[in-house]
Amino acid sequence: MINIVIAAGILVTILTAIPVLLQMRNHPKGLFVCFFAEMWERFSYYGMRALLIYYLVRHFLFTDEHANAQYGSYTTLIYLLPLLGGLIADRWLGTRKAIVFGAILLVAGHFGMAFEGKANVDTLTWQGHTYEFVVEGKGQDRAVRLQIGDHRYDWSGRPDGGYHVEGLPAGAPIPADLPVGSFTKGMKVATPWAEQAFYLSVSLIIMGVGFMKPNISSIVGQLYPDKDPRRDAGFQFYYYGINLGSFWAAALCGYLGENVGWWAGFGLAGVGMLAGLIMFTLGKSWLQGKGEPPKPEVLKEKVAGISKENLIYLFGFAMVPVIFFLVQKNKIVGTALTVGMVAIIIYVFIQMFTKYNVQERFRLGLAMILSGASAIFFALFEQAGSSLSLFAERNTDLNIMKAPMVIGKFVLASQEQLAAMTVPAGSIWIDMGMTASQTQTFNAGFILILAPVFAAIFTFLGNRNMDPDPVKKFAFGLLNVGLGFLVLVWAAPLADANWRLPALFLLLTYFFHTIGELSLSPVGLSQQTKLSPPTIVATMMAIWFLGASLGQYVAAIISTFASTETVGGKVLDNKSALMSSLDTFQFIGWLGVGIGVVFFLLSFVLKKWSYGANDTIKAVDEGTTEVV
């Protein structure tokens, strides 16, 4: 059996990786180290992200509202903790040591996710008797049936919120129609420790990302001399590496998690992170001494017999129980986010007006505005892991082909189509369906294809002094993320009898989102290193991730408006699920378009705030240079 998503991924990777690696030969060798280390780190993160919302809804049976809030707490903290990791690296630890420590925490957390226990079970109690909703099958074949005696029955939701049980025989212990209020819903917790093990694992992951994420991006920027025209292209290649890991995480971890077991998907993510740690450690010499502690002698100083370096590591471990508490409290996370935002902005403003000149102040001001714009972008874009993921499962036809085909020895069919046909002996089955989690390969796959194109365009325009200023690129990114959602809204009349849209339109949504992301995210990363003085660059990179953290928190709030009622992870009413999702997508779609237009108009003023930071140097003739 060959899965079509994995087969397509192999082809795309071969075709795109070769030109990327060839172009990277003209860049610092340290870029290769950061490229592969971050690729594996993103493999681990996106492997978990591809499965997380389904894990919460299907395994723990969280409601949509609870699952979205929990997902939002996790992703918010993922992008909030880099504030702490960036500051610690800037002042004491150095970026390289912070990355290694963060990677160790990540390995432990991802392997911890492989301990899942047994899934919880939804129950229905009628006239003192309790019946269980039993899950059968995995992946596309997954079904939820009501166990009554020795038999299991299909069911559907009633308009009043009750249930209709299909095919009940005469004399069954419950009626076929169960109006709301005539029964009591419940849930049986199968493995009491599993949820706490989950929270401990994600706490280790959050703390690990806090130490690793801002610092590896900072090293990429440090590899290039000031005003080096290769910098933007370098970040595009780095971004390609991120999404190479992201693509294969969704393709492999998503497939294993839904078809084999959650433990397999999460466990593979842990293997990826371990590979990233090994890669970064072995490539130390290629970093050209970048990322070392600012004052190595300070780390060796002892407090109560313990070196300051070891105290930092102990502090990191001590923060895990704090995060364990916070990640379960979405409202407290929101408060922590607000406090973190205010504190870091005050810190930067104090630095701006005590250490830096007027031009540097304007540059830092522009960097913070871009971080604010990124928060808006990610509030819309990051529906991918929550509302768009649930939309993929519930309201998207994941069969690529409407009918199976036999071409020689190859049988092209989804799992559902294969079960309904007679397969010739000796045939090779190509699975033409995909799991819901594999739809998250769409964004990463488009980046693999388009990142080299964007890098070449930016380099071409930059060498000719025609490159649009970063603020216009941000406006274009916001416009496209809004258009992506409107594609689904405009496709609503094409929904089938099961209220599912063709996968093509979800693919188009991610296409527009990818164009928006490539116009904004790598540009924003590069801008933080260009606009920030060297002594505060890691802190400003942390502010960039703070903007993403705020976006994640707002994204979780937005996703709750697309929520619908479920039993055993199955929706009661597919039509209602479709309508609530499309209403939400229409609002945020037009919001993204409108803000993009406003930002474009502001760009004519804001672009002046860079004060030459976006100028580049090109050769005019041998021995001379020209600023452009």
Side-chain angles (χ1 to χ4, degrees), residues 355-478:
K355 293 187 176 181
Y356 305 117
N357 59 38
V358 173
Q359 291 186 1
E360 290 171 326
R361 291 172 197 165
F362 272 99
R363 288 173 179 171
L364 287 170
L366 177 57
M368 287 194 286
I369 289 174
L370 294 179
S371 295
S374 77
I376 299 171
F377 177 85
F378 285 112
L380 308 184
F381 179 83
E382 285 299 334
Q383 296 301 308
S386 52
S387 65
L388 274 176
S389 286
L390 295 177
F391 184 86
E393 178 189 36
R394 299 165 181 176
N395 296 115
T396 302
D397 183 357
L398 297 176
N399 293 322
I400 297 175
M401 299 175 57
K402 290 296 183 183
M405 292 180 61
V406 178
I407 304 175
K409 290 187 176 182
F410 294 95
V411 177
L412 283 65
S414 67
Q415 293 183 27
E416 181 182 356
Q417 293 165 345
L418 187 73
M421 64 183 293
T422 301
V423 180
S427 297
I428 299 174
W429 171 38
I430 299 179
D431 185 0
M432 298 301 292
M434 63 180 72
T435 65
S437 58
Q438 284 184 318
T439 60
Q440 292 193 40
T441 61
F442 292 166
N443 170 240
F446 279 129
I447 288 180
L448 297 183
I449 296 169
L450 297 177
V453 176
F454 270 66
I457 290 173
F458 288 162
T459 301
F460 177 86
L461 294 175
N463 288 336
R464 289 159 177 78
N465 199 27
M466 297 169 59
D467 197 15
D469 66 84
V471 186
K472 287 187 177 66
K473 292 177 182 177
F474 270 55
F476 188 65
L478 289 162

Side-chain angles (χ1 to χ4, degrees), residues 78-275:
I78 279 285
Y79 286 93
L80 181 60
L81 264 293
L83 286 172
L84 182 62
L87 286 170
I88 289 174
D90 266 355
R91 294 179 64 86
W92 301 292
L93 200 55
T95 51
R96 186 186 61 81
K97 287 178 179 287
I99 291 167
V100 172
F101 179 58
I104 292 171
L105 293 175
L106 279 163
V107 170
H110 281 293
F111 280 129
M113 288 291 296
F115 296 93
E116 63 184 63
K118 294 182 178 180
N120 293 341
V121 179
D122 271 329
T123 62
L124 179 154
T125 301
W126 187 80
Q127 293 188 352
H129 297 280
T130 299
Y131 306 91
E132 296 182 355
F133 289 92
V134 180
V135 177
E136 297 177 337
K138 292 181 180 295
Q140 292 174 283
D141 294 330
R142 184 177 179 274
V144 180
R145 296 185 170 92
L146 183 62
Q147 179 90 38
I148 302 175
D150 295 330
H151 300 280
R152 295 173 181 177
Y153 299 90
D154 290 321
W155 55 274
S156 58
R158 287 166 47 100
D160 65 357
Y163 306 121
H164 173 75
V165 185
E166 309 285 347
L168 274 180
I174 65 171
D177 283 294
L178 296 164
V180 68
S182 66
F183 59 89
T184 304
K185 298 178 183 180
M187 185 177 69
K188 183 174 75 175
V189 177
T191 309
W193 55 261
E195 192 172 332
Q196 300 307 307
F198 160 73
Y199 288 126
L200 175 59
S201 297
V202 297
S203 299
L204 287 166
I205 292 170
I206 290 166
M207 196 70 232
V209 171
F211 272 91
M212 184 172 183
K213 187 63 178 172
N215 297 308
I216 196 166
S217 300
S218 297
I219 287 183
V220 173
Q222 294 170 26
L223 293 172
Y224 294 90
D226 191 31
K227 300 185 183 300
D228 190 327
R230 300 176 300 167
R231 185 190 297 252
D232 276 5
F235 270 99
Q236 289 286 351
F237 297 139
Y238 173 70
Y239 214 66
Y240 173 91
I242 287 175
N243 285 279
L244 186 62
S246 172
F247 177 90
W248 284 108
L252 297 177
C253 298
Y255 186 84
L256 290 176
E258 292 199 64
N259 288 290
V260 178
W262 305 114
W263 64 270
F266 291 133
L268 183 60
V271 172
M273 187 62 252
L274 181 60

Side-chain angles (χ1 to χ4, degrees), residues 557-574:
I557 296 173
I558 292 172
S559 64
T560 60
F561 292 101
S563 299
T564 190
E565 189 176 356
T566 62
V567 174
K570 174 184 174 182
V571 297
L572 269 67
D573 186 346
N574 284 348

